Amino acid sequence: MKIAVVEDEKKLATTLKEGLEGEGYTVDVFYDGKSAEEAISQNPTSYSVVILDLMLPQKDGFEVCESLRAQHVSVPIIVLTARDTLEDKIRVLDSGADDFLTKPFEFQELTARIRAVVRRTQNESAKATMSLGSLSLNLRTQEASRNGTVLALTPTEFSLLVLLVEHADRPVTRDEISMHLWGTEDSALSNIVDVHISNLRKKISDDHAGKSIQTIRGLGYRIEE
Ligand code: CA
C-alpha cells in the first residue's frame, strides 16, 4: 500500500517516511503542494492515502485538497495541522479532507487514522449502490442523487449519508458518526458533526418534503424518507 506524505519540514517528513516504511507501507515524500498535487492527480489510484501538511510552499494544503476533489480524485486525505481552532478544523474538512491530526501528534495515532480511512474506503467500495426512497447512492463513484438529480456533496458528507442510510431504522449517535468519519470519538468533534449534518440536511432536503434528517434529542440523528 502506497502513501504520499506532503510535508515541507524535512525532519518530520523523514521521520514519517521511516516510521510508515517500518509499518510496511511504501512512501513517496513531496516537499511542496504543487508537485504533490501534480503527481497525485496524474495517477489518482496510485496512492491509498495522502498525508497532507497545511502550510506548504507553492500551494497550501487547503488548495491541494480542493483541487484534487475538484478533479474527482477520491483518495483519502489526512491533514496535519498546527492550527486547532474549530473554524480551522471545519475548513479542513470542508476542503474535502477525510480527517485531520493536530501537531504535535503521536505516530501511533497517525497509523490508527490511516487504518481507519483505508478501512472505510474499502468498506464503501465493496458495496455498489444503496438507496432509500428517492435517494440513491453510488458507492463506486461516491455520487448521491435524489430523483435522478446529482447532489453536490463533499466526500465527508457522502460518507455521513452512507452511514445514515445504512442505519435508517434507528437514530445514529454523534459518537458513531465521529467513529465512522474519523475513527475516533473525541467529544470535541461533536460540534463538527453537527455542522456536517446541517450542511448535508440542506443539500438533500427537497422543497416539499421538509426535514429529511431528524434530530432525535439526546440520541442523535436519523434519516427519514
Ligand atoms: Ca509546513
Side-chain angles (χ1 to χ4, degrees):
M1 194 180 297
K2 202 156 138 193
I3 297 181
V5 170
V6 193
E7 170 60 74
D8 60 319
E9 276 173 60
K10 294 254 160 50
K11 206 171 150 214
L12 178 57
T14 304
T15 306
L16 290 176
K17 181 177 164 66
E18 288 172 357
L20 291 170
E21 284 174 348
E23 299 280 319
Y25 298 106
T26 305
V27 180
D28 286 348
V29 175
F30 302 91
Y31 298 108
D32 70 86
K34 190 163 176 277
S35 63
E37 194 232 303
E38 283 169 4
I40 297 162
S41 62
Q42 272 161 25
N43 205 344
T45 55
S46 60
Y47 295 104
S48 300
V49 179
V50 176
I51 311 293
L52 179 65
D53 184 32
L54 269 193
M55 296 295 107
L56 290 166
Q58 305 220 35
K59 232 179 192 191
D60 71 24
F62 291 119
E63 294 172 300
V64 172
C65 218
E66 283 164 0
S67 163
L68 288 174
R69 295 314 189 213
Q71 295 170 77
H72 304 288
V73 176
S74 61
V75 59
I77 298 174
I78 300 175
V79 163
L80 304 180
T81 170
R83 313 164 167 211
D84 61 356
T85 66
L86 181 63
E87 288 73 21
D88 286 328
K89 288 174 181 173
I90 291 171
R91 195 177 159 207
V92 165
L93 296 171
D94 278 351
S95 70
D98 296 86
D99 199 357
F100 58 82
L101 267 181
T102 308
K103 291 179 179 178
F105 54 86
E106 297 292 330
F107 182 71
Q108 288 91 327
E109 179 158 20
L110 176 64
T111 54
R113 300 290 182 96
I114 290 172
R115 288 192 299 273
V117 290
V118 168
R119 199 162 49 233
R120 200 173 87 213
T121 314
Q122 287 171 345
N123 284 345
E124 286 171 10
S125 63
K127 296 166 284 182
T129 58
M130 297 169 77
S131 65
L132 181 72
S134 58
L135 272 178
S136 167
L137 284 71
N138 184 323
L139 299 159
R140 291 231 167 78
T141 60
Q142 304 264 298
E143 215 169 62
S145 57
R146 178 159 208 148
N147 293 319
T149 305
V150 174
L151 305 169
L153 304 184
T154 65
T156 301
E157 288 161 359
F158 181 83
S159 187
L160 176 54
L161 184 58
V162 168
L163 181 72
L164 291 170
V165 169
E166 265 177 349
H167 302 290
D169 56 332
R170 62 166 177 86
V172 178
T173 67
R174 287 186 178 81
D175 280 350
E176 281 179 278
I177 294 172
S178 293
M179 190 54 89
H180 175 77
L181 293 180
W182 304 298
T184 172
E185 286 179 12
D186 188 341
S187 63
L189 290 168
S190 73
N191 287 328
I192 303 181
V193 167
D194 293 347
V195 171
H196 282 295
I197 286 281
S198 155
N199 291 339
L200 181 61
R201 182 183 277 146
K202 280 180 215 145
K203 290 184 184 180
I204 69 170
S205 296
D206 61 34
D207 296 338
H208 309 292
K211 285 179 196 161
S212 58
I213 298 176
Q214 279 201 326
T215 305
I216 317 279
R217 197 177 293 271
L219 286 175
Y221 295 103
R222 181 173 174 177
I223 193 161
E224 281 209 328
E225 269 305 302

